[in-house]
Amino acid sequence: MPDANPARATAREAIALLTGAAGFTEHRPSPHPLPPDGPLGWAGYDAARERASARTGEEESVVYGTGVVGDRACVLLSFEFGFLGGSLGRQTGDRLAAAYELALTRRLPLLALVATGGSRMQEGMVALTQLQRVAAASVRLRAAGLPQIAVVRDPTTGGGWATVGAGADVVLALPGAQVGFAGSRVRPPDADPYAYSAEGQFAAGQVDAVVPTDELPATVTHWLRALGPHEELPAAPVPGALPTGGGEPGAGPGTGSGGGTGAGPGTGSGAGTPSAAGRDPVARLPGTGREAVARARDPRRPRAAAYLADYFAVRLPLHGDRSGSTDPGLLCGFGLRADGLPVAYVAQCGTPTRPAGYRAAARTIRLADRLGIPVLTLVDTPGAANDAEAERAGAGAAIADTFAAIAAARVPVTTLVIGEGGSGGALALAAPGNTHVTVDSYFSVIAPELAAAILKRPPSETGATADQLRLRPQDLVDLGFARSIVG
């Protein structure tokens, strides 16, 4: 790219970064000329537009058309910040609406490269209402099951962020970009600038990844492969068993394309069949309820990060609940297996799941359902977080929403319980009729220690209480809750 700072690259340079030699075919909407000096008759507006056009070589603040990123065709729209600050006027709205319609007509994903200061004040309310046009076009694309990806550049503020940017299914940001609804001239003078940065928005769960420029083409290509559109896809294969001691601590989502790349895929072919059958085939089942709980709580057993690394060739994290919070104890996103099968994943990491985690899970499941992509959930939690902050953050509503997302899913959902199955906080992520369990897991209506306390039993009777709860893997199969024991 000619521009050394791609966050401030021109619209066409941003497109060329992603399409490369594959090229880009520009489209233009039918002409709808503005009245002299625009709809408000703003003195000097025509002259300002002429200067912007002479400076940038563009007729408006958005360029759009079709192109190929990696090996995936898509519709691209790119903002030209040099044209009146990338602002949205009526003719910008014409181009944006036409880009969304082009994606809808050709059934292609929409990739938006955003750099804008918001609505164009010289066009007043006519400019502001373009946000409604964009929102309506985005809803139509969403209803058609077509993905929307946004790459937010520097700066991305105002209505452009609140529609094309934050309204996308996946939001990627370039490092150091200014990102936020309030632009630099309209925010409080003592506002923390970090909150308005790509990195700050990532920390707040509003951006899925901050992607270095040299990783952007590969990252976008992976996302386009994962999100489709696809023909009907099979259910996610059940992960294979991993040997005890082969686990690794759960890790938070990465900030680039390599942050979630798995080490090696499983080899399964269908739902209900372990994807790495044959590993540790004679693993011993727990003899008692107490032993089942102890094995599930053993720090040496494999955790979610190890299962995901084994399952996927490429992992693409989604980050945050889009309500200002994150839960590092829950991993979610999309991945590609070695055979190219895309699968959405939601994985608990053995910690109490917080409301933000459930909201992120529901977001992931609903996106996968809309795009027709199968879902894998890995259950491993002692239960939902029960501290006062979790209650204030809406734990009950978040858990209810996750139950609803699973219940409403039209795509197949596959669940593997890999450790602790702690009551409703774990059950919210379990697929009815397609839940499997490992030999190092248990599932219970309540932790045996708490059950004993409620029943006013001494601690010495906790083991007997665990047996009464019938929480072992083999009990779960006998009770009809689990379909199979993996390992």
Side-chain angles (χ1 to χ4, degrees):
M1 283 179 47
D3 195 313
N5 177 12
R8 281 292 177 94
T10 69
R12 295 180 191 275
E13 288 170 343
I15 291 171
L17 171 67
L18 295 176
T19 59
F24 168 74
T25 302
E26 185 175 359
H27 289 241
R28 295 173 184 269
S30 301
H32 292 94
L34 294 170
D37 278 333
L40 305 185
W42 188 287
Y45 180 45
D46 284 349
R49 287 179 57 87
E50 290 173 4
R51 289 193 299 272
S53 182
R55 184 170 56 252
T56 63
E58 304 296 349
E59 298 174 355
E60 249 302 339
S61 60
V62 163
V63 175
Y64 78 98
T66 56
V68 177
V69 178
D71 56 355
R72 295 288 164 162
C74 61
V75 170
L76 298 100
L77 68 87
S78 186
F79 281 76
E80 176 53 68
F81 189 76
F83 192 102
L84 300 180
S87 57
L88 281 73
R90 199 207 71 192
Q91 290 187 334
T92 321
D94 292 343
R95 290 177 176 232
L96 291 172
Y100 281 87
E101 185 64 26
L102 181 62
L104 184 64
T105 302
R106 300 200 180 184
R107 290 203 57 79
L108 292 173
L110 181 83
L111 174 58
L113 311 176
V114 191
T116 174
S119 299
R120 191 172 298 167
M121 65 178 181
Q122 295 93 331
E123 294 190 25
M125 285 302 299
V126 172
L128 190 64
T129 57
Q130 302 311 306
L131 305 182
Q132 295 173 320
R133 291 181 72 187
V134 173
S138 176
V139 167
R140 288 192 293 271
L141 208 58
R142 192 173 288 120
L146 296 169
Q148 301 171 52
I149 301 171
V151 177
V152 293
R153 298 146 56 208
D154 182 46
T156 297
T157 62
W161 163 239
T163 51
V164 185
D169 298 318
V170 176
V171 181
L172 310 175
L174 293 182
Q178 179 188 173
V179 181
F181 185 64
S184 59
R185 297 184 182 181
V186 297
R187 65 183 66 140
D190 59 348
D192 178 9
Y194 181 72
Y196 305 87
S197 68
E199 291 75 12
Q201 296 285 5
F202 175 79
Q206 307 291 356
V207 163
D208 292 304
V210 179
V211 185
T213 309
D214 58 352
E215 295 181 15
L216 191 62
T219 300
V220 172
T221 298
H222 287 319
W223 272 114
L224 290 170
R225 289 172 179 166
L227 298 185
H230 302 287
E231 300 298 327
E232 187 172 351
L233 296 172
V238 181
L242 298 180
T244 298
E248 59 186 77
T255 59
S257 66
T261 302
T267 57
S269 58
T273 302
S275 66
R279 285 188 223 172
D280 201 15
V282 293
R284 182 178 61 83
L285 290 169
T288 65
R290 182 191 289 275
E291 182 187 353
V293 173
R295 286 171 62 170
R297 294 174 179 172
D298 189 334
R300 297 171 297 174
R301 74 162 168 79
R303 305 286 166 153
Y307 278 96
L308 295 174
D310 184 71
Y311 194 81
F312 290 113
V314 174
R315 205 164 85 229
L316 302 163
L318 291 175
H319 183 68
D321 65 353
R322 293 300 187 265
S323 296
S325 299
T326 63
D327 180 0
L330 185 132
L331 306 178
C332 58
F334 289 74
L336 295 167
R337 287 173 55 78
D339 61 2
L341 176 67
V343 175
Y345 64 87
V346 176
Q348 293 170 316
C349 297
T351 58
T353 302
R354 306 202 63 79
Y358 291 112
R359 285 191 288 265
R363 172 196 169 206
T364 302
I365 293 162
R366 289 196 173 102
L367 176 57
D369 189 51
R370 176 156 52 81
L371 299 179
I373 298 170
V375 177
L376 169 71
T377 65
L378 300 180
V379 170
D380 183 13
T381 179
N386 58 5
D387 54 272
E389 181 55 36
E391 290 298 332
R392 284 192 289 267
I399 294 169
D401 196 40
T402 306
F403 271 117
I406 291 278
R410 296 158 296 180
V411 295
V413 181
T414 303
T415 297
L416 180 64
V417 185
I418 63 172
E420 294 195 78
S423 195
L427 189 67
L429 290 177
N434 196 25
T435 291
H436 308 259
V437 293
T438 67
V439 295
D440 292 327
S441 69
Y442 78 88
F443 219 118
S444 178
V445 64
I446 189 172
E449 297 88 351
L450 298 178
I454 291 171
L455 296 171
K456 299 181 180 180
R457 295 176 178 177
S460 60
E461 294 188 25
T462 299
T465 304
D467 289 337
Q468 283 185 292
L469 288 168
R470 297 198 64 192
L471 48 70
R472 301 174 302 167
Q474 59 267 46
D475 296 325
L476 300 172
V477 172
D478 290 343
L479 291 169
F481 171 74
R483 285 183 57 183
S484 72
I485 300 173
V486 174

